[in-house]
Amino acid sequence: MDSEETPALSADTLAILQSFLSEKQEQDERFAKLQENADEVFKNNQKIDMSVFQEDWQLSQFWYDDKTAEFLADRVYENTESNDHVAFISSPTAFVAFRNKYDRENAFVFEFDERFDIFKHQFVHYDFNKPLEFARAQSFEHKFKFIIADPPFLNKDCLSQTLETVKFLAAPDAKIMIDTGAVMKDLARELIGARITNFNPAHKGGLSNEFRCYSTFEDDQLTVCRCVGSTARRLLSVTRAYSSNKQNSLESLFKELSEELDVPKPTNHVLPDFPTSFDQQPKTPIQPPPATTSQRKAAMWTQEEVDRLKEVVDQNRRGAIESVDWQAVMLHFPHRTLNACRSAFYNKRYTKSNVSLGKRTQHSCLSKQQKLKLIEIIGKLGEHNWAGVSDEMTRLFHVERVPGYYAQLWRCHLCPKAQNAPIWTADDTRRLKQLVQTHGKDPIFMAYKL
């Protein structure tokens, strides 16, 4: 190319440039039309499309998407009254969404871009570099019940000065939401006590920086995140068990996460001294876990326990019929359940001794009168209060039986469902034996097959 030739753009580049200029011209015309008809638009409460305002990247303007703007508008509406003052600081997208949906006179947008002066008295020219120098500042001091702020630049000075304005405008019981980068979490917490929430704002054009929402309040849609503190506490406990040299760094991590999410560190939780290597034994012996209910019931009784049980039962007999306070007896055997104590006393199969301790181990079957009375008692107390049924039968007939006896008698013989069940035949017995040989003694499986 000769030096005298005029440089020219390629056809593709020229087409893109022309498209951009055409789109900008069309948008400028739309905004000019809005300015010209502003009085009529506000008089008739017409909705305004945010696309009329083109983003100015030099002012760090990035508009929210429709879902985010509507969510913020709903939070304001649901947490304020109709006469409350609301401020949108450097957040015109949320303001326009709120105005379009709810249209309250006491909602104000604090914005540097003077294109938004079309909102008349609801617009306040605002420069974060002069946080307390704006129109009507004296009349606005501590008057706003809800404030949404979106500092235009992602740095400490911008957020600090914006929050200075927030504290100046906020009423004593004000609710505050801050939309800014995730790197600002410590400063937002330090200056106004705002914490990260479960809501992540989104922008139409997208942002490369992680953007988060911080809040000083919660409602049914906005929740402050707190779960990380408990997770850090569990992580600290587990890791200290294997690596003591990590203790200082982990405790620092726990402190950082707990303070961030307002989770207090437990003061009564003392961890044992764990070995620094797997070859050493811990200084504090590890106690075995408490026995489960099934273990406490099934473990065989020793002769010492049998002797002790007899003494305790004699000490806790009550009333003329010599009924036993089994709740008091159980307290003397922390590794046994109440039913295990009672069964061991009346049923020799739970002890090593060939003779049970109880005086009434063998009982005759209930008479017809006793069965009728049992049905009547179950009707009053229900099918789940077998301890009460046992006590009542003992009181009436002076014969003490374990609650499980009455439960089994009811379910297998006296219950209407049991009486209406088909008669057990020889074929059923033969089939049951075959199933036991093949599949074992699983009662649920047997009931399903039979």
Side-chain angles (χ1 to χ4, degrees), residues 27 30-31 34 48-56 61 63 92 96 113-119:
Q27 198 162 23
R30 291 176 59 196
F31 180 74
L34 176 62
I48 297 177
D49 189 352
M50 194 63 193
S51 63
V52 174
F53 303 91
Q54 186 177 13
E55 294 175 341
D56 189 340
Q61 290 180 338
W63 302 152
V96 171
D113 188 350
E114 294 187 351
R115 289 181 298 172
F116 292 94
D117 64 0
I118 63 172
F119 292 104

Side-chain angles (χ1 to χ4, degrees), residues 441-450:
K441 298 180 180 180
D442 186 346
I444 298 178
F445 179 80
M446 299 301 166
Y448 173 76
K449 287 295 184 180
L450 293 174

Side-chain angles (χ1 to χ4, degrees), residues 15-276:
I16 294 174
L17 178 60
Q18 290 177 346
S19 175
F20 171 78
L21 294 175
S22 176
E23 182 179 346
K24 186 178 185 304
Q25 181 180 0
E26 180 183 354
Q27 198 162 23
D28 290 341
E29 291 176 355
R30 291 176 59 196
F31 180 74
K33 184 176 180 180
L34 176 62
Q35 279 187 314
E36 182 180 351
N37 301 323
D39 293 337
E40 182 180 352
V41 169
F42 285 97
K43 182 178 179 180
N44 298 328
N45 293 327
Q46 297 180 14
K47 293 184 178 181
I48 297 177
D49 189 352
M50 194 63 193
S51 63
V52 174
F53 303 91
Q54 186 177 13
E55 294 175 341
D56 189 340
W57 293 352
Q58 292 182 347
L59 297 179
S60 188
Q61 290 180 338
F62 302 95
W63 302 152
Y64 298 135
D65 61 17
D66 295 339
K67 184 177 180 180
T68 298
E70 184 175 358
F71 179 86
L72 295 175
D74 291 341
R75 301 282 64 72
V76 175
Y77 178 78
E78 294 178 9
N79 290 279
T80 57
E81 302 294 337
S82 58
N83 58 343
D84 288 342
H85 281 61
V86 179
F88 296 84
I89 302 177
S90 303
S91 184
T93 325
F95 169 77
V96 171
F98 182 77
R99 180 194 173 278
N100 288 342
K101 193 169 184 178
Y102 301 110
D103 190 25
R104 289 184 182 174
E105 287 294 323
N106 290 332
F108 299 86
V109 56
F110 291 71
E111 174 59 42
F112 183 80
D113 188 350
E114 294 187 351
R115 289 181 298 172
F116 292 94
D117 64 0
I118 63 172
F119 292 104
K120 307 298 181 181
H121 71 281
Q122 292 180 293
F123 170 77
V124 179
H125 184 261
Y126 172 73
D127 183 355
F128 73 87
N129 291 307
K130 303 175 182 178
L132 302 182
E133 297 180 16
F134 49 85
R136 294 173 281 175
Q138 293 182 352
S139 61
F140 283 160
E141 184 176 7
H142 303 315
K143 196 168 185 178
F144 288 79
K145 293 295 186 70
F146 201 109
I147 300 175
I148 292 180
D150 186 350
F153 297 100
L154 195 59
N155 59 59
K156 182 177 180 181
D157 291 339
C158 182
L159 178 60
S160 299
Q161 292 177 110
T162 300
L163 293 183
E164 186 178 350
T165 306
V166 169
K167 290 187 284 187
F168 177 82
L169 296 175
D173 56 345
K175 295 179 173 64
I176 301 170
M177 295 179 67
I178 309 295
D179 294 336
T180 187
V183 296
M184 295 288 112
K185 62 181 183 300
D186 294 333
L187 189 60
R189 177 69 183 276
E190 177 185 347
L191 295 180
I192 61 170
R195 295 174 291 183
I196 292 179
T197 66
N198 62 335
F199 175 66
N200 294 331
H203 298 77
K204 289 184 177 180
L207 288 181
S208 58
N209 299 315
E210 183 181 359
F211 213 74
R212 298 303 299 266
C213 176
Y214 303 84
S215 175
T216 61
F217 72 98
E218 293 179 297
D219 61 14
D220 57 345
Q221 298 294 325
L222 189 70
T223 305
V224 171
C225 301
R226 295 187 178 88
C227 58
V228 178
S230 59
T231 303
R233 188 156 55 242
R234 291 196 300 271
L235 175 64
L236 174 62
S237 301
V238 172
T239 311
R240 282 188 62 186
Y242 299 101
S243 179
S244 60
N245 60 348
K246 300 284 187 179
Q247 177 175 342
N248 293 333
S249 60
L250 286 171
E251 288 183 343
S252 300
L253 172 64
F254 170 83
K255 182 179 179 181
E256 177 184 352
L257 294 174
S258 296
E259 289 178 353
E260 173 190 334
L261 301 175
D262 197 21
V263 179
K265 183 177 181 179
T267 57
N268 59 346
H269 180 61
V270 180
L271 292 175
D273 295 327
F274 288 96
T276 56

